[in-house]
Amino acid sequence: MLWFLIGLVFFLSIGFLFLFFQRQKFWISRLQKIEKITEAIKNKESPSSFLLSGNPLFLAISSNLESISTTLQGLIRASKEEEINLNTILKSMAEGIVIIDRSHLIKIANDSFKRIFGLNVNPQGKKLVELVQLPEVEKMIEEAFKSQKPLTQELLGAETRGTISGYFVVDAVPVTNESQELPSDIMVLVFRDITEIKMFEEARKEFVINVSHELRTPLSIFKGYVETLIENPKLSKAETKRIYEILKKHCERLSLLIEDLLLLAKLESRKLTIEPISINFSKFIEETLQDLHPLFKQKECTVNLLVEKDLPPIEIDPFWFQQAIYNLIDNAIKFSTPPRTVVIQAQRMGQNFVLKIIDNGFGIPPKDLPFIFDRFYRGDKSRNRDQGGTGLGLSITKQIVELHGGTLRAISDVGKGTTMEITFPIEQKRE
């Protein structure tokens, strides 16, 4: 009986242990599968299967894990889409955009920011002050973080890495949460380059000043001589005639100035259109010089014409291109002293037509050369005003050449003369 009981206990123990280990194996296999599922979710991957069979509890866990994974994958996709959209927006913006933290470390910077500040390195992770050496920006950031309100300031940019200077409008916008309970630790900076706008404003002011000056001089002369005629009705015929001739001269000057101003306005607004036709340049330039023959004779000027043989026909608007040549030859004669000589060269260079008008005049100082095509610009004010003219001729000529798809440049050697060089395609592109 004792042995029977011992045997029964032994077999029951063996059965119990067998059942225990089988149960343990079951749980271990399920836990291992749960581990694989959670590992995949942690790695932002979708598990091959969520199925956990054998128990309602495992089925519930399986369903919850699948729901979590689906939600997470949706969030990942949405995050990637938002990142793509953000990058697309940032790349398309002309403004420089930078996102920084409390330590002024750059989190995000767009291409325009790198372009504006001439950066060849990735700004991300660097201190803003290392790349943008503007103390006013640092001060502005601190004030915006402190007040938690957007700030805007116009700054004159100093040279940064030797590549940039200009005018900027900087916006500093702290990024706050919806509840605004916690202070923002992230800030968006927007750099808008307004250098061109400022330059345009300055050019406009200077233009108004120059026009006012050009109008004031003849009007003052008118006023003075009209008062003379009123106060002295018994002036001699000779003196009266002299005054009328002076008034006529300044009337013509005013008329030329107004005409040039209207023409320049049309050219710059692109409201004036040209109608190019194919012409023989040799014949065209000979007719043009024939029209100027009285001027050459009056100024005792020798003209040498050098036109390349077999020059192909060029496409120009004869009327407007002739105006450009008139202006350049008139300048060449005006700023020369006897014996005056003007050389006109025309040749083909590749697919381009090149026309050079060379004088033996005073030449243009290097400091004035970059500005001679500006409206009303005069280097030697006293000498140039004595030459007459409106001060708009070269500016108008440059606009006419550009309408032909070409460029106009000046090459000058002080005391030896100046070369005006026009280059444009032989065949004009037609829209």
Side-chain angles (χ1 to χ4, degrees), residues 100-134:
I100 62 172
D101 61 14
R102 279 273 184 181
S103 302
H104 299 195
L105 285 175
I106 297 175
K107 300 295 185 183
I108 297 175
N110 70 347
D111 292 340
S112 292
F113 172 76
K114 292 188 284 186
R115 175 183 52 77
I116 289 172
F117 291 97
L119 304 177
N120 297 320
V121 297
N122 184 4
Q124 193 168 347
K126 291 181 169 45
K127 286 268 191 179
L128 182 67
V129 70
E130 295 177 18
L131 307 176
V132 182
Q133 298 170 4
L134 297 173

Side-chain angles (χ1 to χ4, degrees), residues 322-382:
Q322 195 171 62
Q323 295 300 310
I325 293 177
Y326 282 162
N327 288 344
L328 293 178
I329 292 177
D330 184 59
N331 262 23
I333 295 173
K334 187 183 299 180
F335 297 108
S336 300
T337 54
R340 297 182 176 92
T341 301
V342 173
V343 179
I344 300 174
Q345 294 180 352
Q347 59 185 328
R348 175 175 184 163
M349 294 184 67
Q351 298 300 313
N352 291 328
F353 169 81
V354 179
L355 175 65
K356 295 180 181 179
I357 297 176
I358 307 165
D359 65 50
N360 64 337
F362 311 127
I364 304 168
K367 66 181 181 65
D368 294 324
L369 206 54
F371 308 105
I372 61 170
F373 299 111
D374 292 354
R375 295 166 296 188
F376 294 111
Y377 184 81
R378 289 180 169 93
D380 186 340
K381 303 287 193 297
S382 59

Side-chain angles (χ1 to χ4, degrees), residues 225 228-229 235 239-247:
Y225 279 113
T228 299
L229 290 171
L235 283 173
E239 180 64 14
T240 302
K241 182 181 178 182
R242 186 185 71 84
I243 291 175
Y244 283 143
E245 286 175 349
I246 293 173
L247 292 176

Side-chain angles (χ1 to χ4, degrees), residues 9 31 38 58 146 164 240 246 261 344 396 398 405 428:
V9 170
L31 291 173
T38 54
F58 285 121
K146 185 177 179 180
I164 186 169
T240 302
I246 293 173
L261 284 171
I344 300 174
I396 289 171
K398 184 173 183 289
Q428 297 292 321

